[in-house]
Amino acid sequence: RELVLVRGATMALQQIRVGAEIWQGQLSWDPDAGLPMLQQILVKGPDFRVIQQIFRSFVLDTAGVVSLDDLSVSLDRRARTLSVTFRATCEDGAEAADVLTFALA
């Protein structure tokens, strides 16, 4: 096992990926931390404008991110997944882009 220090876009992507796994109410010491997955995102008949705003704020609040250049949210009813695709510019000028996928129960 090797410890690898990251910074810039790599660090921002790591923080976004890990942060997206924390659902609001999951942390006993900070119940307001995390994304409101069960309250507003993974609900029946979700409002995609609200979901986009939640993820827009989430990405822009990530350390090292200076701008959010692209963000889209899509629902695949057959596969029962919600996907959030984003592209952001980081402090070092590098681009951080990824697709976050959430399974619907």
Side-chain angles (χ1 to χ4, degrees):
R1 300 188 189 240
E2 189 175 314
L3 179 64
V4 178
L5 300 177
V6 295
R7 60 180 168 207
T10 305
M11 180 186 72
L13 277 174
Q14 180 179 349
Q15 289 179 340
I16 291 168
R17 289 175 185 146
V18 170
E21 294 179 10
I22 300 172
W23 293 17
Q24 200 169 58
Q26 184 179 14
L27 303 176
S28 61
W29 63 90
D30 189 358
D32 294 329
L35 295 170
M37 299 303 278
L38 299 176
Q39 297 88 346
Q40 295 179 307
I41 298 172
L42 300 179
V43 297
K44 186 173 183 173
D47 185 341
F48 287 99
R49 294 174 302 202
V50 171
I51 294 173
Q52 280 189 316
Q53 186 56 45
I54 290 168
F55 279 99
R56 178 176 308 284
S57 296
F58 171 66
V59 172
L60 286 172
D61 288 345
T62 302
V65 173
V66 293
S67 69
L68 181 60
D69 307 316
D70 188 37
L71 176 76
S72 65
V73 177
S74 62
L75 177 65
D76 183 342
R77 293 185 191 279
R78 288 185 71 93
R80 298 188 51 80
T81 58
L82 177 76
S83 297
V84 179
T85 305
F86 68 90
R87 185 172 43 85
T89 301
C90 298
E91 290 175 339
D92 63 353
E95 186 177 274
D98 202 358
V99 178
L100 304 172
T101 304
F102 303 94
L104 304 175

